[in-house]
Amino acid sequence: MGGLNGETEVDEDELRLDPGFAARFEAQGRGDCQLYLISPANVGGGFADQLRAALAGGPVAAFQFRVKDVDQHEAARLAEPLQRICAEHDVAFIVNDSASLAKRIGADGVHLGQQDGDPREARALLGPSAQIGVTCHDSRHLAMEAGEAGADYVAFGSFFPTTTKEVRHHPDPSILSWWVTLFELPCVAIGGITPQNGRVLVEAGADFLAVSNAVWGHSGGPGAAVAAFQEVMKRG
């Protein structure tokens, strides 16, 4: 990733932007935003049918397998049918937190939180073709560090209130505009995003919208939710 050398020592306060920067931003040269699904905590039972329904609703770029409090053997068992469905629909299957689980099941990549290991180590384990993403909260400094470490994308959020997980960081959309103005590495917006509020993030420059409850909890079903996001993600 070019253009980052020597910039990671910049003080975070010096990187703060006028929030109005997002309003002036134009996403020249970047294609339409894409959808990045994140699984609910419970992926057992009939969830495979929900995933199929979601993927029938419109294009989805990636699916993140995010389960907690289960051992790796059980996680691998739960992942197997979902991974197969994603492969059938040409959707990248990304494992949350665990590079070792991603390696075990042959996932397309791993998403790392700030406490989940170094992207360099994940790359060494998973190989050059793996997709490695890093949570960067509301920090430009962490995002630049992730880029230097070889991440394939950086994730900012939470942009809106969410019940999916406890959050302490609430960036302004201008962080997306700043990032895509300077760097080619894709950025993901996450946190409480719905078809009703997501447009501001697309206009600010998000390459992907990461969504969970807005799809799995949608009153019309996951397919209708994915369909509703399609218009939101178009540029221009």
Side-chain angles (χ1 to χ4, degrees):
M1 177 180 177
L4 293 182
N5 291 336
E7 295 188 59
T8 56
E9 295 303 317
V10 177
D11 184 85
E12 194 73 34
D13 286 338
E14 296 178 9
L15 294 171
R16 299 194 186 282
L17 295 174
D18 172 7
F21 184 77
R24 300 190 299 272
F25 170 76
E26 294 183 13
Q28 297 178 349
R30 298 181 96 91
D32 287 344
C33 188
Q34 300 181 72
L35 201 60
Y36 184 142
L37 294 184
I38 298 178
S39 78
N42 183 2
V43 296
F47 178 71
D49 291 334
Q50 287 187 280
L51 179 58
R52 286 192 185 92
L55 299 185
V60 172
F63 172 79
Q64 185 183 125
F65 179 73
R66 184 178 183 270
V67 296
K68 302 290 184 180
D69 303 321
V70 299
D71 63 30
Q72 193 169 105
H73 178 76
E74 175 66 5
R77 185 189 70 80
L78 290 168
E80 192 275 332
L82 309 180
Q83 190 174 5
R84 186 172 61 250
I85 292 167
C86 287
E88 291 169 354
H89 290 81
D90 197 26
V91 174
F93 191 89
I94 308 296
V95 170
N96 184 64
D97 291 353
S98 176
S100 61
L101 176 61
K103 175 70 173 180
R104 173 173 175 166
I105 67 174
D108 295 304
V110 65
H111 182 88
L112 301 174
Q114 284 296 313
Q115 309 302 319
D116 298 325
D118 190 299
R120 297 176 184 87
E121 295 175 359
R123 178 70 65 203
L125 179 65
L126 300 177
S129 64
Q131 295 293 305
I132 298 175
V134 177
T135 293
C136 300
H137 303 303
D138 59 353
S139 173
R140 296 167 176 82
H141 178 73
L142 291 178
M144 290 189 289
E145 283 192 330
E148 286 285 7
D152 293 289
Y153 69 83
V154 296
F156 296 109
S158 173
F159 285 96
F160 304 108
T162 175
T163 58
T164 302
K165 62 185 295 187
E166 183 179 351
V167 295
R168 295 181 292 109
H169 307 277
H170 299 282
D172 186 88
S174 61
I175 196 171
L176 301 168
S177 308
W178 170 84
W179 178 261
V180 301
T181 297
L182 295 179
F183 309 118
E184 294 183 1
L185 199 71
C187 62
V188 176
I190 190 170
I193 301 169
T194 70
Q196 290 71 42
N197 64 22
R199 185 65 195 171
V200 66
L201 304 176
V202 176
E203 292 176 347
D207 294 295
F208 298 88
L209 298 183
V211 299
S212 185
N213 188 59
V215 169
W216 314 120
H218 192 276
S219 59
V226 169
F229 271 108
Q230 300 307 312
E231 285 299 317
V232 175
M233 295 187 297
K234 292 180 180 179
R235 303 272 188 219

